[in-house]
Amino acid sequence: MDSEDAPEVADPVEALNASVDRPEGPWVMPREYDIGGVRWFSDASRELARALHPLLAQVTREELAEGPPPQTAGAPLPEEASSLYRPMAIRHEWTVSIEDVAAFNRDQFLADLYALADSMGGQMVRGMLEHISAVTEEHGNTIDAGGRDFFDVVAETLETIEMTFDDEGHPNLTIVMHPDQAEKLRDKQPTPEQEARLDAILERRKEEWLVSRRRRDLP
């Protein structure tokens, strides 16, 4: 029932609009600003992730004009799918405070961007190593190092993997291991016999690589 004595209640939307200092004319942001912001954010997070994770920085990037369709999480891959390609799911939660946005808190934004890049880079490195392990297991290209000398395992590995060399003749190789294992091997040195074997293998593999380049068909 209406009453003449009832207090007048303001529309909450109108009250909110009245409390905000809005320009009299329409406010428009050029599309170029939006595109530039997204591009900067993408490039900044990617390059920061590569700076925080050196192993990721060693991986070259290739752009595909057309790739395989995205797979549903947990769904089996088609039989014709190559094991060399696997999708990688990366997830990071970023919570934004409205107070920080209103205050243009750039320090908090940069700290959140750092956390995003570190999380993204770490997940990519783990996914990459898991993928390499899965492919090598599938093709039987693994070596059992249990109870064996480290440099003997390295020598056997150099005999089996594909290798390339830089312009100065140095092998393009990166050894990845758990930090605890790396600490155990920090002061370990090869014996003279092991060092001679490693040098001979590298020299032979370099000659094989150079021969393969000389025989490469010209475009």
Side-chain angles (χ1 to χ4, degrees):
M1 181 175 61
D2 295 336
S3 173
E4 295 181 357
D5 298 330
E8 184 177 346
V9 179
D11 187 341
V13 176
E14 293 182 359
L16 178 61
N17 291 335
S19 65
V20 178
D21 185 14
R22 297 181 180 275
E24 296 181 358
W27 185 84
V28 179
M29 182 179 70
R31 177 62 174 162
E32 290 79 3
Y33 290 6
D34 188 17
I35 296 174
V38 171
R39 182 173 299 172
W40 179 90
F41 184 86
S42 176
D43 292 344
S45 59
R46 181 175 61 249
E47 293 305 319
L48 185 55
R50 293 170 71 85
L52 292 171
H53 299 272
L55 184 61
L56 183 63
Q58 297 182 40
V59 179
T60 58
R61 298 176 56 86
E62 297 289 342
E63 293 188 4
L64 297 178
E66 182 178 357
Q71 298 291 323
T72 304
L77 294 172
E79 295 182 359
E80 65 275 11
S82 170
S83 60
L84 299 180
Y85 174 85
R86 287 292 183 273
M88 184 186 304
I90 298 176
R91 182 174 182 269
H92 178 80
E93 293 186 6
W94 183 333
T95 303
V96 179
S97 168
I98 189 62
E99 288 80 8
D100 289 334
V101 175
F104 291 93
N105 191 338
R106 289 175 295 179
D107 291 341
Q108 184 60 51
F109 171 79
L110 294 176
D112 291 340
L113 177 63
Y114 182 98
L116 166 69
D118 190 23
S119 173
M120 181 175 67
Q123 293 179 66
M124 292 180 67
V125 169
R126 287 191 296 271
M128 179 178 64
L129 295 178
E130 290 173 357
H131 185 200
I132 293 174
S133 297
V135 172
T136 53
E137 287 285 351
E138 178 182 347
H139 292 273
N141 192 18
T142 58
I143 296 175
D144 185 3
R148 300 176 59 191
D149 185 88
F150 172 74
F151 292 104
D152 289 339
V153 174
V154 172
E156 183 178 349
T157 302
L158 295 179
E159 293 277 17
T160 58
I161 62 175
E162 294 185 6
M163 296 180 60
T164 61
F165 295 79
D166 61 21
D167 294 338
E168 297 180 356
H170 300 142
N172 297 316
L173 292 174
T174 300
I175 298 177
V176 181
M177 63 179 64
H178 193 278
D180 294 343
Q181 185 66 20
E183 184 63 29
K184 294 179 181 178
L185 298 172
R186 180 180 299 276
D187 299 325
K188 184 175 178 58
Q189 298 294 327
T191 65
E193 293 78 10
Q194 289 174 327
E195 188 172 4
R197 181 188 178 191
L198 291 170
D199 290 341
I201 293 174
L202 288 174
E203 187 63 28
R204 175 168 50 81
R205 296 304 306 272
K206 183 172 67 174
E207 289 299 323
E208 294 172 353
W209 179 72
L210 290 173
V211 170
S212 68
R213 286 172 59 85
R214 287 194 294 265
R215 291 179 178 174
R216 185 173 299 170
D217 294 335
L218 295 176

